[in-house]
Amino acid sequence: MVQLALGLLSISALAAFLALLLEAAHAVLADYGECRISINEGEKELTVQGGGKLLGTLMDQGIFIPSACGGRGSCGLCKVQVLDGGGPILPTETPYMDEKEIAEQVRLSCQVRVRNDLLIRIPEEFFLIKEYTAVVAGLRPLTHNIKEVHLKLVDPPEITFKPGQFIQFQVPEYPGCPEPVYRAYSIASPAVLRTEIKLVITRVEHGLATTYIHTLLKEGDTVRINGPYGDFYLRHSEREMILIGTGSGLAPLMSILHQMADEKIDRRATLYFGVRAKADLFYQEEIQTLAERIPGLTYVPVLSDPAREDAWEGETGYVTDAVARRVADASDMEAYLCGNPLMINAAVDILKSKGLPEDRIFYDKFA
Amino acid sequence: METTLSAPVIFFAAIFTNNILLANFLGMCSFLAISRELKSAVGLGLAVTFVMTCTTAINFLVYHHLLVPFGLVHFRYIVFIIVIAAFVQLVEMVIDRYSPALYVVLGVFLPLITVNCAILGVCLFMIIRHYNFIQSVAYGFGGGLGWLLAITALAGIREKIRKAPIPKALEGPGISLIVAGLMALSFMAFSGMIQIG
């Protein structure tokens, strides 16, 4: 009996000693205390509890860095410049960086831990990124598999974005989706309407987010979004524009066209809209209205596989084929492309072969 | 019955003739998993060496000054494992604080050192072979260096054969196991020099 008690006691004492040791080590080693994060040469100074990842720490402070994977280090979007205090670049980051970025001390904020005072630089527009709650004001089928989601912002009540940018939509938990996921959607509505936004969402077979939006989301539901994000927006110049969109890739181009109409930007522009058949075309009336407001706008719908009853007399084939046929010399133009990555790669090749320099081709790949 | 071999002899034997990996085949999982790149292999090897040396010393003291006097020798497995686990946790915290790059490279394999059978194996061999404290530490340190040597050699070979025309069915783990086997064969050549097991 004494033997048993003694045995238990010694083993417990050993375990307790080790636990205490670890507790003490944790208190000493894992405590980074308060750290100061200085953003953009002192434009904003934050005092935060150290120890967390930079991405999450900034998010807690209301500064949202674009990220699509939720901090797992797999999307490579959450890049910020860490000028001081970030430590050496980690092997989990290098696959997403080119030499220039490494030289500029660009880091993935989801991999950098706040261990001491940091000096970071982020693009000015990230300060505009906020989290919003919104109410679904309308759901409108645009085609058999594309829906327009109309959101009215509640808190904060207004959003400032550049036409062409996107937001992230939070899909809550539902049967079949065990944890909230975020998906990026471009804003299709005009930027001047600051209290509401419209998203154009294609249903993806078995897609977690699009299944939710197409089957479960109802008018009056409250949703969470954050944004705006992205460097796909209208550049200031006098150049003639080529706008190419396929499917729901038309959305950011619509917002850009609204901007041109609202701000009376008088540039020559051709909108190529590629879909399969006539039934897949949408926003036709809106485009007509815009064409009346933008004198230099030409609209070219392109059907890759028109149905017999479509009696289609317009352009056929891939949207890139139409561009190849209609554009002779693109050397003094500017191009805005949005849609699936295959189309964009093909379009970039064609535009380059027509003399358009790559730095004047802007695109947003819907992967 | 104490062994008469001196500590330097045990140290030497633990590296070459009785290499824990290539003679006893302990600690194979991380040996195969982290040997794709030389750099991370060396990092893990150093971590194993450090943990092995220290836990052998601690476990020697715990065994001879706690378990034996109180007649608790039958608890030795659980006690050794607890000590190793706590020590690895400590090392993990230290690496996370002072070498984030190594921390990321080692990833899940750092905590897995907890159950690296080579480490428990060394602790048990030290008991079975009746080593004294100095001999135990020499054995633990040598065993760790032997493990480091083996994984470094394998990683070096795997880096070299990356461009070799390996039959499709043998790519990856297959060829690694064959290489490990050949390495074990070549290490057998040392066994004529001295035997401690």
Side-chain angles (χ1 to χ4, degrees):
Chain A
M1 198 59 207
V2 177
Q3 176 73 15
L4 182 71
L6 205 62
L8 283 175
L9 209 68
S10 342
I11 304 290
S12 312
L14 180 70
F17 170 73
L18 291 172
L20 268 174
L21 185 72
L22 285 180
E23 195 57 48
H26 184 78
V28 174
L29 292 172
D31 178 22
Y32 296 92
E34 283 196 339
C35 300
R36 286 161 57 84
I37 304 179
S38 170
I39 307 172
N40 295 2
E41 285 89 34
E43 188 174 327
K44 207 163 182 152
E45 299 275 351
L46 306 172
T47 306
V48 299
Q49 187 60 41
K53 296 292 168 68
L54 183 57
L55 178 70
T57 306
L58 288 176
M59 203 183 271
D60 291 341
Q61 299 288 321
I63 296 172
F64 292 86
I65 310 292
S67 154
C69 68
R72 289 198 303 266
S74 62
C75 73
L77 282 179
C78 61
K79 290 177 180 174
V80 300
Q81 265 179 300
V82 181
L83 303 174
D84 189 37
I89 189 162
L90 302 177
T92 39
E93 301 171 72
T94 39
Y96 302 98
M97 305 290 174
D98 57 30
E99 279 172 23
K100 185 164 168 275
E101 287 172 321
I102 290 174
E104 287 173 351
Q105 296 176 287
V106 174
R107 304 286 301 269
L108 290 187
S109 58
C110 69
Q111 300 296 310
V112 175
R113 197 176 300 198
V114 183
R115 298 165 185 275
N116 38 44
D117 293 355
L118 292 178
L119 215 58
I120 67 172
R121 196 180 289 155
I122 61 177
E124 207 60 37
E125 60 262 29
F126 285 5
F127 289 125
L128 295 175
I129 299 172
K130 294 190 187 109
E131 188 170 44
Y132 296 83
T133 50
V135 168
V136 180
L139 289 164
R140 176 162 73 113
L142 296 175
T143 72
H144 71 283
N145 67 346
I146 298 182
K147 241 182 197 170
E148 181 192 72
V149 179
H150 183 178
L151 300 176
K152 273 206 161 37
L153 301 178
V154 178
D155 179 37
E158 287 194 351
I159 185 169
T160 305
F161 67 94
K162 291 182 189 172
Q165 285 191 307
F166 65 91
I167 54 98
Q168 289 197 344
F169 186 99
Q170 189 198 64
V171 179
E173 291 172 39
Y174 68 90
C177 178
E179 53 179 1
V181 293
Y182 289 90
R183 289 292 184 273
Y185 298 108
S186 294
I187 304 171
S189 47
V192 287
L193 279 179
R194 297 164 62 129
T195 57
E196 56 190 79
I197 59 170
K198 284 177 180 169
L199 309 172
V200 175
I201 297 173
T202 311
R203 180 166 193 171
V204 178
E205 208 60 48
H206 307 301
L208 281 178
T210 58
T211 305
Y212 170 79
I213 289 163
H214 275 257
T215 58
L216 297 171
L217 193 67
K218 294 184 303 293
E219 256 178 61
D221 282 358
T222 298
V223 297
R224 284 175 168 281
I225 59 169
N226 58 66
Y229 300 109
D231 52 9
F232 182 71
Y233 48 80
L234 187 63
R235 291 343 192 238
H236 290 289
S237 80
E238 297 292 314
R239 291 196 176 86
E240 180 175 345
M241 299 159 62
I242 301 178
L243 304 137
I244 308 174
T246 51
S248 52
L250 179 66
L253 304 179
M254 288 300 287
S255 192
I256 288 176
L257 291 174
H258 276 294
Q259 179 190 14
M260 292 176 69
D262 293 334
E263 296 177 12
K264 303 208 182 335
I265 297 172
D266 192 14
R267 289 168 67 175
R268 285 188 60 197
T270 310
L271 170 66
Y272 294 87
F273 182 26
V275 293
R276 177 170 290 184
K278 208 168 172 180
D280 297 310
L281 291 169
F282 58 90
Y283 277 159
Q284 296 305 291
E285 286 170 27
E286 285 89 340
I287 294 173
Q288 283 313 321
T289 318
L290 284 166
E292 285 160 23
R293 295 172 63 200
I294 307 169
L297 179 65
T298 313
Y299 173 46
V300 182
V302 186
L303 302 189
S304 63
D305 187 16
R308 191 163 300 156
E309 64 270 20
D310 286 353
W312 183 253
E313 289 177 353
E315 289 280 356
T316 55
Y318 285 122
V319 65
T320 45
D321 300 337
V323 174
R325 280 193 294 269
R326 297 176 70 108
V327 178
D329 175 17
S331 60
D332 199 33
M333 294 186 176
E334 221 172 74
Y336 295 86
L337 325 173
C338 189
N340 71 68
L342 286 176
M343 179 283 280
I344 289 181
N345 294 340
V348 168
D349 287 344
I350 285 174
L351 291 169
K352 272 161 64 181
S353 75
K354 301 273 183 188
L356 184 55
E358 206 163 357
D359 62 348
R360 268 192 262 130
I361 306 177
F362 308 100
Y363 53 79
D364 192 357
K365 283 185 184 174
F366 282 12
Chain B
M1 186 201 77
E2 291 215 349
T3 168
T4 50
L5 293 166
S6 71
V9 172
I10 291 173
F11 173 72
F12 182 80
I15 299 177
F16 295 106
T17 65
N18 290 62
N19 188 296
I20 194 91
L21 242 176
L22 298 172
N24 299 105
F25 301 106
L26 294 177
M28 287 296 284
C29 38
S30 36
F31 175 64
L32 292 174
I34 302 288
S35 54
R36 262 191 295 270
E37 274 176 29
L38 201 53
K39 217 173 129 194
S40 31
V42 172
L44 183 69
L46 288 173
V48 167
T49 308
F50 181 66
V51 171
M52 207 179 261
T53 313
C54 298
T55 52
T56 318
I58 301 171
N59 277 336
F60 181 92
L61 297 176
V62 168
Y63 184 82
H64 288 286
H65 296 284
L66 186 72
L67 299 190
V68 174
F70 289 105
L72 301 171
V73 174
H74 48 287
F75 278 126
R76 62 185 179 277
Y77 299 155
I78 189 168
V79 169
F80 286 175
I81 293 280
I82 292 177
V83 169
I84 294 169
F87 194 77
V88 169
Q89 179 96 64
L90 200 65
V91 172
E92 188 185 14
M93 286 190 222
V94 172
I95 294 184
D96 183 22
R97 173 102 203 196
Y98 298 107
S99 180
L102 183 61
Y103 183 76
V104 171
V105 170
L106 295 181
V108 74
F109 288 95
L110 191 57
L112 277 183
I113 294 181
T114 314
V115 286
N116 187 324
C117 34
I119 294 174
L120 183 62
V122 164
C123 292
L124 294 176
F125 280 136
M126 126 191 126
I127 305 295
I128 294 167
R129 293 176 187 163
H130 305 286
Y131 290 158
N132 63 29
F133 184 72
I134 303 293
Q135 288 169 323
S136 296
V137 174
Y139 182 56
F141 186 41
L145 284 182
W147 202 90
L148 168 68
L149 176 69
I151 195 170
T152 308
L154 181 65
I157 293 170
R158 285 183 72 175
E159 281 197 350
K160 283 269 183 258
I161 62 174
R162 196 169 295 157
K163 292 200 181 79
I166 297 161
K168 195 111 196 99
L170 283 179
E171 277 174 11
I175 195 73
S176 305
L177 281 167
I178 292 174
V179 170
L182 292 173
M183 280 168 59
L185 277 179
S186 60
F187 266 68
M188 273 176 70
F190 291 119
S191 65
M193 295 197 286
I194 195 167
Q195 271 299 340
I196 58 168

